[in-house]
Amino acid sequence: MFNQSRSRIIRLIFLVVILVITGQLFYLQVVSGKFRQMADENAILRKTIYPPRGLVFDRHKKAIVNNTLTHDLMVTPAHLKGIDTFFLCRLMEIDTAEFRDRVITAIIKNSSQKPSVFEASLSPQKYARIQENLWRFEKAFYVQERPIRSYPYDAGANIFGYLGEVDTTYLKKYADEGYVSGDYAGMTGLEANYEKALMGQRGVQYLIKDNFSRIQGPYEGGAMDVEAVAGSNLYTSIDIVLQQFGEKLLTNKVGSIVAIDPKTGGILAMVSSPTYNPGYLTGTERRKHFSELYTDPRLPLLNRAVNASYPPGSTFKTLQALVGLAEGVITTKTTFSCSGAFYGCGSARPMGCLDPGTFYLSSGITHSCNTYFANVMQRVINNPRYPSVDSSLRAWNNYMSAFGLGHKLGVDVPTEQKGMIPTPEFFNKQYGAGKWGFCTFRSVSIGQGEVTATPLQVANEMAYIANKGWYYIPHIGDSIEGEDKFGLLEKFRQRIVPINMPDSIFEVVHDGMQGVMESGTGRGSRVEGITICGKTGTVENYYRGVKQPNHSFFAAFAPRENPKIAIMCVVENSGRFGGTYAAPIVSLMIQKYINDTISAKWKPRMESIISTNLIPKMMLDKMRQRDSIRRVREEERELKTDLKNIRDTLQSEDNLTETEAKAGNRKENKPPKDTGNKKPERKDILQPDTLKKRMVHSRDTAKTDKNQ
C-alpha cells in the first residue's frame, strides 16, 4: 500500500511537470509572439523602401524641385559582434571613437535590434568602397537607397525649404502620421507645408538571412513585400525665371522682393537675400553647410519675406488715404498746407516734411507729404463720432486688419510673422489708460513708430489696392496632381472682401500712385509702355536705440488697367531713399515679368544695381569677427594635431630605443657602459620650448611637402 501510494505521488508530480512544460511551450509558441518576433528579427530583414517625393513645378510646368538617389549605410547594433571595425573605420575615414558614438546614437534612437542610419548620403567614393567590401560586414550593415532632392535652378532655397531626419520631438508631434526613426520629412518651406502630399507612402521589402546574418534573397518570394507609392506632384504659381532674376538683383544686398498675381493671389516670386544654393542642404556636405549658414551673420536661412517685419514707411500712406475717405474725415478735394513740417502736436515737436506746399489727396500721395497724412490720421483718431480715443483707434485697427496687417495672412510658407498694428491695449500698457492720444503715436501716420509689416503683407496690400477692395490669401501652391486629398489648398480659393468701398475711392489712390511714377518720388524708375502705380518709402532704422542707415522701400502694381503683378521690395540699410534702389529693382522685375525682357535703356542700370554691394557695415564687421574666430580655431586644431604627431613620434622613439637596448643586452649579456650622453627623459622632451621648436619644424616641413 505504501509503495503504491508513493508511486501515485511520483506519477502525479511527473504529470504536473509535463503539464507545466507543455503549457509553457504552448504559451511561448502559440500565445506569446515575443520569441517568434525575436526569431523573425534574426532571420528576416525588414527593409524600408522610401518612395520618390512628389516633384515641384513652376507656373510654366518647369520642374524646379526634382529627385535623385543617394545611399545610406545602415547598421543593426545587435549584430556587430565579429565585425572588423578597424577595417570599416578605414573605409569610412573615421576613428574608432566616432564609430562607437554612432553606434550608441543608433541604439538610443532606435534600439539595438532595429536598423538605423550609420552614415547618410554616402559620397560616391565611400559608396564604391563599401559596395566592394560589403560582404565583410553584411552581418550588421547594409546599403539602402533613398531619394533626395535636386534643384535644376539655383534659386528659391527659402521657398522650397529642406528635408531633415525626424527626431524624437518630431515623432511625438506627428505620432499618428506613421513616421519612424530614420525617416526624412520636410522641415521648412513648401516641403514642410505640403509634406502630406509630397511624402508618398513608404514600402517594405522582407529579406531572408542565413545563420551568419547574410542576406540570401527575398522572403517567401516577395509575397509579403509592400510597394512604395510616390508622392503627389505640386504645381506652383512661382515663375522660376523671375525668381532667379530677383535673386540676382539683390546680390550682395540684404532685403526681400515679393511679387503676387493680384487676380489669383499666386506668388510669382519670393526673394530673400542673402540666400543660398538650395542644393547645399542635401547630400554628404549637408551638415557642414547647415553649420556655415546657421552661423552666417547675414542670416541666409531667414526668409525675410515672411519672417522679417519693418516699419512700412510712406507706402503706408496709401492705406491712410483709404481710411480717411472711408471714414468721411476727408474728401478727394481736401487740402492741407505744409510749411516744411507738421505742427499739429505743438510747435515744439514738429514732424519734418520734404516737400513744402499745399496738397490734395492724390498729390499728397504723389509727393509723399508727411503733413498731409498726419492730418488725415489725426482727424480719424479725433473723430467726434467715436466716444473716446480708444474706440477711434480700435476702428482704425479694424481697417488695417481688413487690409491684411497685424495678423498672419495664412501663406503656405511656415513661420509667417504677423507684424504689428498698435492697439488701445498696447498703449494702455505702455503709457497707462487715458494718458495717450494721437500725438503719442503720430509717427504711425506715416508708417513709422509702432507699426510694422512683413514684405508679404505690403505686397498683398498692393494687390488689394490694385483689385479695388479684394484679395486672395497669397499662396505658392496652385494645384496638386490627382486631387487635394488633405484640403491644403481650399482656403486659397476664397475671395476676401473685408470692407465695402466704392471704386471711386481706389481710383483717387491709383491717381496718386501713378503720379509717383510720372512726376513724384519714383519718376526716375518710369518704364516706357507700362503704366505703373507705385509708392516709395524711406524707412528710418534703429538698432538698440542707435540710428542706422535707412531702409529703401518701394511697392507697386502694374499695369494700372487689368493689373498683372503687385510687388514690393525692401533693401535694408541702403542709406538712401525709396526711389534710389528699391524702385528701380521693382521696375526691372515688372519689365521682366510683363515684357519678358529688359529694355536696352535699362540694362546699364540693371548691371549697376547687380554690382552694387550694400551689405551693412555691422554685418560685415560680424563676418570678419566670425572669420577671425574660425581661423583661430583652425590654428588650434592644427596645433593639437602637431602635438599628437610629436607625442606619437616620441613614443615610437622611446619604444625603439628600449627595443634596441634589450637587444643589445641579450647580445652582450651585460649592461651598457655609461658614456655620459644619456637620452633625456620624456618629461624633458615635452617641455614647451622643445615642443614649440618641433611644431614649427613639423609645420614648415608639411608646408614644404605641400608646395612640392
Side-chain angles (χ1 to χ4, degrees), residues 417-453:
Q417 299 300 306
K418 64 180 183 178
M420 170 69 177
I421 294 295
T423 62
E425 290 76 17
F426 174 82
F427 288 123
N428 286 339
K429 185 176 180 181
Q430 290 288 107
Y431 304 104
K435 297 181 180 180
W436 54 272
F438 168 74
C439 290
T440 310
F441 56 88
R442 59 181 183 159
S443 56
V444 169
S445 63
I446 58 171
Q448 295 282 171
E450 293 83 0
V451 62
T452 64

Side-chain angles (χ1 to χ4, degrees), residues 465-573:
I465 294 173
N467 292 332
K468 300 178 182 176
W470 58 269
Y471 67 90
Y472 288 101
I473 295 175
H475 56 277
I476 295 174
D478 186 60
S479 64
I480 297 173
E481 190 173 48
E483 60 177 319
D484 182 13
K485 300 176 184 176
F486 305 101
L488 301 174
L489 302 173
E490 287 179 4
K491 64 179 181 179
F492 306 129
R493 305 287 184 253
Q494 302 169 14
R495 180 188 286 199
I496 298 174
V497 186
I499 298 176
N500 290 319
M501 291 187 183
D503 287 358
S504 58
I505 287 180
F506 291 96
E507 287 292 347
V508 176
V509 175
H510 290 193
D511 289 340
M513 294 176 70
Q514 184 176 340
V516 168
M517 304 303 293
E518 294 179 350
S519 60
T521 53
R523 58 187 177 275
S525 297
R526 276 183 76 181
V527 177
E528 292 183 7
I530 303 176
T531 303
I532 300 175
C533 294
K535 186 70 196 75
T536 55
T538 304
V539 180
E540 292 186 355
N541 173 32
Y542 291 85
Y543 179 72
R544 295 180 179 176
V546 179
K547 181 75 168 69
Q548 303 294 322
N550 294 331
H551 299 325
S552 177
F553 256 65
F554 190 75
F557 63 88
R560 177 172 178 174
E561 300 300 327
N562 190 27
K564 297 179 180 178
I565 183 172
I567 184 171
M568 78 79 59
C569 172
V570 54
V571 182
E572 292 186 22
N573 297 84

Side-chain angles (χ1 to χ4, degrees), residues 16-175:
V16 170
V17 169
I18 291 170
L19 289 174
V20 169
I21 293 173
T22 303
Q24 184 67 11
L25 289 173
F26 178 81
Y27 173 78
L28 292 175
Q29 296 184 29
V30 179
V31 178
S32 173
K34 176 182 177 182
F35 290 95
R36 179 173 56 195
Q37 181 181 352
M38 292 174 63
D40 286 346
E41 287 177 352
N42 286 328
I44 302 170
L45 173 66
R46 185 182 184 276
K47 187 176 181 181
T48 301
I49 306 300
Y50 289 99
R53 285 178 73 86
L55 307 186
V56 181
F57 296 88
D58 84 338
R59 66 189 297 106
H60 300 297
K61 305 299 185 291
K62 296 176 183 175
I64 53 179
V65 180
N66 218 323
N67 290 317
T68 187
L69 279 180
T70 190
H71 298 87
D72 297 340
L73 182 62
M74 309 295 292
V75 62
T76 306
H79 299 157
L80 281 172
K81 188 176 181 181
I83 294 293
D84 187 351
T85 55
F86 289 101
F87 183 58
L88 179 65
C89 287
R90 286 202 299 272
L91 293 179
M92 298 299 296
E93 300 173 358
I94 60 174
D95 56 26
T96 53
E98 175 69 14
F99 179 90
R100 285 194 299 271
D101 289 344
R102 293 186 184 186
V103 171
I104 291 170
T105 301
I107 293 172
I108 292 172
K109 289 171 63 176
N110 208 21
S111 84
S112 63
Q113 299 292 334
K114 295 179 181 179
S116 298
V117 177
F118 184 80
E119 182 165 327
S121 296
L122 295 170
S123 67
Q125 296 80 10
K126 285 186 181 180
Y127 175 67
R129 291 198 298 267
I130 288 295
Q131 282 293 88
E132 184 179 355
N133 295 278
L134 190 59
W135 60 273
R136 302 173 185 268
F137 316 111
E138 61 182 0
K139 177 181 177 182
F141 292 88
Y142 67 90
V143 174
Q144 178 168 278
E145 288 185 346
R146 177 171 57 85
I148 60 171
R149 289 308 208 183
S150 63
Y151 304 90
Y153 300 88
D154 180 8
N158 289 107
I159 299 173
F160 306 141
Y162 57 85
L163 303 178
E165 186 177 355
V166 299
D167 56 15
T168 53
T169 303
Y170 194 97
L171 292 173
K172 289 178 182 177
K173 185 176 180 180
Y174 300 99

Side-chain angles (χ1 to χ4, degrees), residues 185-257:
M187 296 296 164
T188 60
L190 295 180
E191 296 281 16
N193 194 78
Y194 292 98
E195 169 69 12
K196 288 184 177 181
L198 293 170
M199 67 178 291
Q201 296 178 13
R202 293 179 295 276
V204 180
Q205 183 182 15
Y206 294 94
L207 302 171
I208 190 71
K209 298 185 290 186
D210 63 12
N211 57 334
F212 295 105
S213 293
R214 294 174 300 196
I215 296 173
Q216 301 300 300
Y219 177 65
E220 293 189 357
M224 297 179 62
D225 293 353
V226 178
E227 289 190 13
V229 179
S232 301
N233 295 334
L234 175 66
Y235 293 88
T236 71
S237 56
I238 290 292
D239 185 322
I240 195 61
V241 174
L242 188 67
Q243 177 75 24
Q244 283 183 307
F245 186 58
E247 292 185 9
K248 191 174 181 180
L249 291 172
L250 287 187
T251 301
N252 287 324
K253 300 168 189 67
V254 180
S256 178
I257 303 171

Side-chain angles (χ1 to χ4, degrees), residues 5 58 66 213 255 265 274 326 371 390 397 415 426 437 461 464 492 517 522 541 544 547 619 622 695 702:
S5 176
D58 84 338
N66 218 323
S213 293
T371 297
D390 292 55
N397 286 151
T415 68
F426 174 82
E461 165 195 328
Y464 174 82
F492 306 129
M517 304 303 293
N541 173 32
R544 295 180 179 176
K547 181 75 168 69
M619 282 188 178
K622 288 183 179 179
M695 286 180 180

Side-chain angles (χ1 to χ4, degrees), residues 338 340 353-359 367-369 521:
C338 174
C353 194
L354 294 177
D355 238 344
T358 299
F359 302 98
H367 296 283
S368 198
C369 178
T521 53

